[in-house]
């Protein structure tokens, strides 16, 4: 039994190392004084300075964040309304729409990307910021719906009817009764949508236009030449995600402790 426990710990350590070693490697070499990606010659912040001086890189960050925020807001609103509407629809309609909703997630991204590219081309739409934004909204909506539907299934159908009987209008019943009950699903759907939009490369590559790059397409264009500023950019993203994860996990713990002290 002891040997099995030791083996399982070693196996877990190797898995963690496999996942996090490349990230640690990128962060370490973002502070390298030279352009070398194999030999650490000394500590320096010059690649971070060059990153902020690089207008193209700053524009890619701007477009990535703006598109991710807008796509998240729009897809969350549309996905929430659609999910609530489906929950009140007939079984045949619900199942049919759910099957269609699952297609973008089951399809390889390359298929979705080519389909969107051909669609925008067929309507003579100029490729650029708008096409990139529309594409991100389109592929984010199914993830939002999928996140909210389980919460709606857990919701008692009589709650909305009780709210209407007590004098609420349908709109008041929606935002005062239904939405608070499914908030965890809405938040998780929004987070997934933001992550998918921020991280997307394949679809973005096919639907973007000249001069409009997000981080993923910019990094792809920089792969063929050594650019340590990309390491600095990647490190900042890692730091930002780490801070967000810490806050998301620590704040609920602090609030729970305060509630326990009050009790």
């Amino acid at each position: 039994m002891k040997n099995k426990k030791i083996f399982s710990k070693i196996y877990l350590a190797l898995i963690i190392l496999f996942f996090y070693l490349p990230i640690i490697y990128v962060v370490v070499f973002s502070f390298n004084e030279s352009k070398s990606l194999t030999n650490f010659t000394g500590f320096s912040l010059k690649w971070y300075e060059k990153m902020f001086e690089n207008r193209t890189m700053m524009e890619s960050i701007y477009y990535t964040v703006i598109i991710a925020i807008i796509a998240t807001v729009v897809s969350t609103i549309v996905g929430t309304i659609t999910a609530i509407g489906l929950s009140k629809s007939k079984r045949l309609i619900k199942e049919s729409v759910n099957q269609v909703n699952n297609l973008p997630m089951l399809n390889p991204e390359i298929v979705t990307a080519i389909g969107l590219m051909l669609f925008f081309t067929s309507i003579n739409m100029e490729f650029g910021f708008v096409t990139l934004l529309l594409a991100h909204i389109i592929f984010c909506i199914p993830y939002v719906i999928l996140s909210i539907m389980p919460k709606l299934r857990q919701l008692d159908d009589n709650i909305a009817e009780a709210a209407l009987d007590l004098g609420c209008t349908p709109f008041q019943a929606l935002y005062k009764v239904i939405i608070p009950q499914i908030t965890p699903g809405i938040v998780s759907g929004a987070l997934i949508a933001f992550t998918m939009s921020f991280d997307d490369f394949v679809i973005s590559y096919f639907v973007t236009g000249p001069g409009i790059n997000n981080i993923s397409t910019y990094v792809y264009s920089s792969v063929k030449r050594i650019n340590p500023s990309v390491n600095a950019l990647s490190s900042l993203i890692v730091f930002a995600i780490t801070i967000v994860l810490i806050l998301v996990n620590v704040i609920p713990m602090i609030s729970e402790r305060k509630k326990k002290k009050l009790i």
Side-chain angles (χ1 to χ4, degrees):
M1 289 294 291
K2 289 183 179 180
N3 291 332
K4 287 184 178 180
K5 287 182 180 180
I6 292 170
F7 177 77
S8 63
K9 289 179 180 179
I10 293 172
Y11 179 75
L12 179 61
L14 290 173
I15 293 296
I16 292 172
L17 191 66
F18 176 78
F19 280 116
Y20 290 102
L21 187 60
I23 297 174
I24 296 169
Y25 184 88
V26 168
V27 173
V28 170
F29 276 88
S30 69
F31 297 103
N32 194 11
E33 189 177 5
S34 67
K35 283 187 174 183
S36 176
L37 298 178
T38 56
N39 184 25
F40 192 84
T41 57
F43 182 85
S44 176
L45 293 173
K46 71 176 183 179
W47 302 120
Y48 287 89
E49 294 175 5
K50 288 189 176 182
M51 181 194 73
F52 287 110
E53 291 172 358
N54 190 328
R55 183 177 177 181
T56 307
M57 187 178 288
M58 289 295 99
E59 286 180 352
S60 70
I61 296 171
Y62 170 77
Y63 285 126
T64 300
V65 174
I66 289 297
I67 287 173
I69 291 172
I70 297 174
T72 300
V73 172
V74 175
S75 62
T76 301
I77 293 171
V78 174
T80 302
I81 294 171
T82 304
I84 293 171
L86 285 175
S87 67
K88 304 299 180 183
S89 301
K90 294 180 180 179
R91 184 177 178 181
L92 180 62
I93 296 173
K94 188 190 300 184
E95 290 181 355
S96 300
V97 175
N98 281 332
Q99 292 298 324
V100 173
N101 184 65
N102 292 334
L103 282 174
M105 293 179 288
L106 296 174
N107 265 341
E109 277 197 334
I110 187 69
V111 176
T112 305
I114 293 172
L116 288 170
M117 181 188 69
L118 293 175
F119 172 72
F120 292 138
T121 303
S122 65
I123 60 174
N124 296 321
M125 197 168 186
E126 186 178 353
F127 286 88
F129 181 85
V130 176
T131 54
L132 186 59
L133 177 60
L134 289 174
H136 279 232
I137 292 171
I138 289 167
F139 74 73
C140 283
I141 289 174
Y143 291 96
V144 176
I145 295 173
L146 190 66
S147 298
I148 295 173
M149 286 303 292
K151 289 294 179 184
L152 287 168
R153 293 192 192 100
Q154 297 171 6
L155 192 65
D156 190 351
D157 293 334
N158 297 321
I159 291 178
E161 293 179 5
L164 294 172
D165 290 339
L166 292 171
C168 283
T169 63
F171 184 72
Q172 288 175 332
L174 176 65
Y175 77 86
K176 286 186 176 181
V177 179
I178 296 175
I179 289 179
Q181 295 291 326
I182 61 172
T183 298
I186 296 173
V187 172
S188 63
L191 289 174
I192 292 171
F194 184 86
T195 304
M196 294 296 296
S197 176
F198 195 93
D199 181 61
D200 181 73
F201 165 71
V202 177
I203 295 174
S204 300
Y205 184 77
F206 277 83
V207 299
T208 191
I212 307 296
N213 286 312
N214 58 10
I215 291 173
S216 58
T217 55
Y218 174 80
V219 171
Y220 176 76
S221 64
S222 304
V223 167
K224 295 180 181 179
R225 59 183 185 274
I226 297 174
N227 187 3
S229 296
V230 173
N231 291 342
L233 174 61
S234 303
S235 299
L236 284 181
I237 293 171
V238 171
F239 293 145
I241 292 171
T242 303
I243 291 168
V244 171
L245 286 174
I246 291 171
L247 291 174
V248 167
N249 287 282
V250 170
I251 291 173
M253 290 172 63
I254 294 172
S255 61
E256 284 180 8
R257 286 181 181 178
K258 286 182 178 180
K259 286 180 182 178
K260 286 180 180 179
K261 286 181 180 179
L262 292 173
I263 293 171

Short mmCIF file of all heavy atoms in Angstrom, two decimals, residues 132-161:
data_model
loop_
_atom_site.label_atom_id
_atom_site.label_comp_id
_atom_site.label_asym_id
_atom_site.label_seq_id
_atom_site.Cartn_x
_atom_site.Cartn_y
_atom_site.Cartn_z
N LEU A 132 -15.10 39.90 -36.84
CA LEU A 132 -14.44 39.21 -35.73
C LEU A 132 -15.34 39.20 -34.50
O LEU A 132 -15.49 38.16 -33.83
CB LEU A 132 -13.12 39.90 -35.41
CG LEU A 132 -12.21 39.23 -34.36
CD1 LEU A 132 -11.82 37.83 -34.78
CD2 LEU A 132 -10.97 40.09 -34.13
N LEU A 133 -15.96 40.32 -34.21
CA LEU A 133 -16.87 40.42 -33.06
C LEU A 133 -18.09 39.52 -33.23
O LEU A 133 -18.47 38.79 -32.30
CB LEU A 133 -17.30 41.87 -32.86
CG LEU A 133 -18.31 42.14 -31.74
CD1 LEU A 133 -17.75 41.72 -30.39
CD2 LEU A 133 -18.70 43.62 -31.73
N LEU A 134 -18.71 39.56 -34.41
CA LEU A 134 -19.90 38.73 -34.67
C LEU A 134 -19.56 37.24 -34.55
O LEU A 134 -20.35 36.47 -33.99
CB LEU A 134 -20.45 39.03 -36.07
CG LEU A 134 -21.15 40.39 -36.24
CD1 LEU A 134 -21.52 40.60 -37.71
CD2 LEU A 134 -22.38 40.49 -35.36
N ALA A 135 -18.41 36.85 -35.07
CA ALA A 135 -17.99 35.45 -34.99
C ALA A 135 -17.83 35.01 -33.53
O ALA A 135 -18.27 33.91 -33.14
CB ALA A 135 -16.69 35.24 -35.75
N HIS A 136 -17.24 35.87 -32.71
CA HIS A 136 -17.04 35.53 -31.30
C HIS A 136 -18.38 35.43 -30.56
O HIS A 136 -18.56 34.55 -29.71
CB HIS A 136 -16.14 36.58 -30.64
CG HIS A 136 -14.69 36.36 -30.91
ND1 HIS A 136 -13.74 36.29 -29.92
CD2 HIS A 136 -14.01 36.17 -32.07
CE1 HIS A 136 -12.55 36.08 -30.46
NE2 HIS A 136 -12.69 36.01 -31.77
N ILE A 137 -19.30 36.34 -30.88
CA ILE A 137 -20.62 36.27 -30.25
C ILE A 137 -21.33 34.97 -30.64
O ILE A 137 -21.93 34.29 -29.79
CB ILE A 137 -21.48 37.49 -30.66
CG1 ILE A 137 -20.90 38.77 -30.05
CG2 ILE A 137 -22.93 37.31 -30.22
CD1 ILE A 137 -21.53 40.05 -30.58
N ILE A 138 -21.22 34.61 -31.90
CA ILE A 138 -21.90 33.42 -32.41
C ILE A 138 -21.42 32.15 -31.73
O ILE A 138 -22.22 31.30 -31.31
CB ILE A 138 -21.73 33.31 -33.95
CG1 ILE A 138 -22.56 34.39 -34.65
CG2 ILE A 138 -22.14 31.93 -34.46
CD1 ILE A 138 -22.23 34.57 -36.12
N PHE A 139 -20.09 32.00 -31.59
CA PHE A 139 -19.62 30.74 -31.00
C PHE A 139 -19.63 30.75 -29.46
O PHE A 139 -19.45 29.70 -28.83
CB PHE A 139 -18.23 30.35 -31.53
CG PHE A 139 -17.06 31.14 -31.02
CD1 PHE A 139 -16.59 30.99 -29.73
CD2 PHE A 139 -16.39 32.02 -31.87
CE1 PHE A 139 -15.50 31.70 -29.28
CE2 PHE A 139 -15.29 32.73 -31.43
CZ PHE A 139 -14.85 32.57 -30.12
N CYS A 140 -19.87 31.94 -28.84
CA CYS A 140 -19.95 32.00 -27.37
C CYS A 140 -21.36 31.68 -26.86
O CYS A 140 -21.50 31.14 -25.74
CB CYS A 140 -19.53 33.38 -26.88
SG CYS A 140 -17.75 33.65 -26.88
N ILE A 141 -22.38 32.02 -27.63
CA ILE A 141 -23.77 31.83 -27.18
C ILE A 141 -24.08 30.39 -26.78
O ILE A 141 -24.69 30.17 -25.72
CB ILE A 141 -24.75 32.34 -28.26
CG1 ILE A 141 -24.70 33.87 -28.33
CG2 ILE A 141 -26.19 31.88 -27.96
CD1 ILE A 141 -25.52 34.47 -29.47
N PRO A 142 -23.69 29.36 -27.56
CA PRO A 142 -24.01 27.99 -27.16
C PRO A 142 -23.44 27.59 -25.80
O PRO A 142 -24.08 26.85 -25.04
CB PRO A 142 -23.38 27.14 -28.27
CG PRO A 142 -23.33 28.05 -29.45
CD PRO A 142 -23.07 29.40 -28.90
N TYR A 143 -22.27 28.11 -25.44
CA TYR A 143 -21.66 27.79 -24.15
C TYR A 143 -22.45 28.41 -23.00
O TYR A 143 -22.58 27.81 -21.93
CB TYR A 143 -20.21 28.27 -24.11
CG TYR A 143 -19.30 27.49 -25.03
CD1 TYR A 143 -19.01 27.96 -26.31
CD2 TYR A 143 -18.75 26.28 -24.63
CE1 TYR A 143 -18.19 27.23 -27.17
CE2 TYR A 143 -17.93 25.55 -25.48
CZ TYR A 143 -17.65 26.03 -26.75
OH TYR A 143 -16.84 25.31 -27.59
N VAL A 144 -22.98 29.60 -23.23
CA VAL A 144 -23.80 30.26 -22.22
C VAL A 144 -25.09 29.48 -21.99
O VAL A 144 -25.49 29.22 -20.84
CB VAL A 144 -24.11 31.72 -22.62
CG1 VAL A 144 -25.04 32.37 -21.61
CG2 VAL A 144 -22.82 32.52 -22.74
N ILE A 145 -25.74 29.11 -23.09
CA ILE A 145 -26.98 28.33 -22.98
C ILE A 145 -26.74 27.02 -22.26
O ILE A 145 -27.51 26.62 -21.37
CB ILE A 145 -27.58 28.08 -24.39
CG1 ILE A 145 -28.00 29.40 -25.04
CG2 ILE A 145 -28.78 27.13 -24.30
CD1 ILE A 145 -28.44 29.26 -26.48
N LEU A 146 -25.67 26.35 -22.61
CA LEU A 146 -25.34 25.06 -21.99
C LEU A 146 -25.08 25.21 -20.49
O LEU A 146 -25.38 24.30 -19.71
CB LEU A 146 -24.12 24.45 -22.68
CG LEU A 146 -23.78 23.00 -22.31
CD1 LEU A 146 -24.88 22.05 -22.80
CD2 LEU A 146 -22.45 22.59 -22.91
N SER A 147 -24.53 26.33 -20.07
CA SER A 147 -24.24 26.55 -18.65
C SER A 147 -25.50 26.87 -17.85
O SER A 147 -25.59 26.52 -16.66
CB SER A 147 -23.23 27.70 -18.49
OG SER A 147 -22.02 27.39 -19.12
N ILE A 148 -26.46 27.53 -18.49
CA ILE A 148 -27.66 27.97 -17.77
C ILE A 148 -28.75 26.90 -17.72
O ILE A 148 -29.50 26.82 -16.74
CB ILE A 148 -28.21 29.27 -18.43
CG1 ILE A 148 -27.19 30.40 -18.27
CG2 ILE A 148 -29.55 29.68 -17.83
CD1 ILE A 148 -27.53 31.66 -19.02
N MET A 149 -28.84 26.07 -18.74
CA MET A 149 -29.91 25.09 -18.81
C MET A 149 -30.00 24.17 -17.59
O MET A 149 -31.11 23.91 -17.09
CB MET A 149 -29.77 24.25 -20.10
CG MET A 149 -30.15 25.00 -21.37
SD MET A 149 -31.83 25.67 -21.37
CE MET A 149 -32.79 24.15 -21.43
N PRO A 150 -28.89 23.64 -17.05
CA PRO A 150 -29.00 22.79 -15.85
C PRO A 150 -29.62 23.51 -14.66
O PRO A 150 -30.37 22.90 -13.89
CB PRO A 150 -27.54 22.39 -15.56
CG PRO A 150 -26.85 22.51 -16.87
CD PRO A 150 -27.50 23.66 -17.56
N LYS A 151 -29.31 24.81 -14.49
CA LYS A 151 -29.89 25.57 -13.39
C LYS A 151 -31.40 25.76 -13.57
O LYS A 151 -32.16 25.75 -12.61
CB LYS A 151 -29.21 26.94 -13.29
CG LYS A 151 -27.79 26.88 -12.77
CD LYS A 151 -27.76 26.42 -11.32
CE LYS A 151 -26.35 26.34 -10.79
NZ LYS A 151 -26.33 25.80 -9.40
N LEU A 152 -31.81 25.93 -14.83
CA LEU A 152 -33.23 26.08 -15.11
C LEU A 152 -33.99 24.78 -14.87
O LEU A 152 -35.16 24.80 -14.46
CB LEU A 152 -33.44 26.56 -16.56
CG LEU A 152 -33.07 28.02 -16.83
CD1 LEU A 152 -33.03 28.30 -18.32
CD2 LEU A 152 -34.07 28.96 -16.15
N ARG A 153 -33.33 23.65 -15.13
CA ARG A 153 -33.97 22.35 -14.86
C ARG A 153 -34.18 22.14 -13.36
O ARG A 153 -35.13 21.48 -12.95
CB ARG A 153 -33.11 21.21 -15.44
CG ARG A 153 -33.04 21.19 -16.96
CD ARG A 153 -32.44 19.90 -17.47
NE ARG A 153 -32.12 19.98 -18.89
CZ ARG A 153 -30.91 20.21 -19.37
NH1 ARG A 153 -29.89 20.37 -18.53
NH2 ARG A 153 -30.69 20.28 -20.67
N GLN A 154 -33.28 22.70 -12.54
CA GLN A 154 -33.41 22.57 -11.09
C GLN A 154 -34.44 23.53 -10.51
O GLN A 154 -34.88 23.36 -9.37
CB GLN A 154 -32.06 22.84 -10.42
CG GLN A 154 -30.97 21.85 -10.80
CD GLN A 154 -29.60 22.26 -10.29
OE1 GLN A 154 -29.47 23.24 -9.55
NE2 GLN A 154 -28.56 21.53 -10.68
N LEU A 155 -34.83 24.52 -11.30
CA LEU A 155 -35.76 25.55 -10.83
C LEU A 155 -37.19 25.03 -10.79
O LEU A 155 -37.65 24.37 -11.73
CB LEU A 155 -35.67 26.77 -11.76
CG LEU A 155 -36.33 28.06 -11.29
CD1 LEU A 155 -35.64 28.60 -10.06
CD2 LEU A 155 -36.29 29.10 -12.41
N ASP A 156 -37.88 25.31 -9.71
CA ASP A 156 -39.27 24.90 -9.56
C ASP A 156 -40.16 25.74 -10.49
O ASP A 156 -40.10 26.97 -10.47
CB ASP A 156 -39.71 25.08 -8.10
CG ASP A 156 -41.07 24.45 -7.82
OD1 ASP A 156 -41.75 24.04 -8.78
OD2 ASP A 156 -41.46 24.38 -6.64
N ASP A 157 -40.96 25.08 -11.31
CA ASP A 157 -41.82 25.79 -12.26
C ASP A 157 -42.86 26.67 -11.56
O ASP A 157 -43.36 27.64 -12.14
CB ASP A 157 -42.54 24.78 -13.17
CG ASP A 157 -41.56 24.05 -14.08
OD1 ASP A 157 -40.49 24.63 -14.37
OD2 ASP A 157 -41.87 22.91 -14.51
N ASN A 158 -43.18 26.33 -10.33
CA ASN A 158 -44.23 27.06 -9.62
C ASN A 158 -43.76 28.41 -9.07
O ASN A 158 -44.58 29.24 -8.67
CB ASN A 158 -44.76 26.22 -8.44
CG ASN A 158 -45.42 24.94 -8.93
OD1 ASN A 158 -46.12 24.94 -9.94
ND2 ASN A 158 -45.20 23.85 -8.21
N ILE A 159 -42.42 28.63 -9.05
CA ILE A 159 -41.90 29.88 -8.48
C ILE A 159 -42.35 31.08 -9.30
O ILE A 159 -42.82 32.09 -8.76
CB ILE A 159 -40.35 29.83 -8.41
CG1 ILE A 159 -39.91 28.81 -7.35
CG2 ILE A 159 -39.77 31.20 -8.09
CD1 ILE A 159 -38.42 28.66 -7.24
N ALA A 160 -42.21 30.99 -10.62
CA ALA A 160 -42.62 32.11 -11.49
C ALA A 160 -44.13 32.34 -11.40
O ALA A 160 -44.59 33.49 -11.36
CB ALA A 160 -42.21 31.82 -12.92
N GLU A 161 -44.90 31.26 -11.36
CA GLU A 161 -46.36 31.39 -11.26
C GLU A 161 -46.76 32.02 -9.93
O GLU A 161 -47.68 32.83 -9.86
CB GLU A 161 -47.01 30.02 -11.42
CG GLU A 161 -46.83 29.43 -12.81
CD GLU A 161 -47.47 28.05 -12.93
OE1 GLU A 161 -48.11 27.62 -11.95
OE2 GLU A 161 -47.32 27.42 -14.00
#
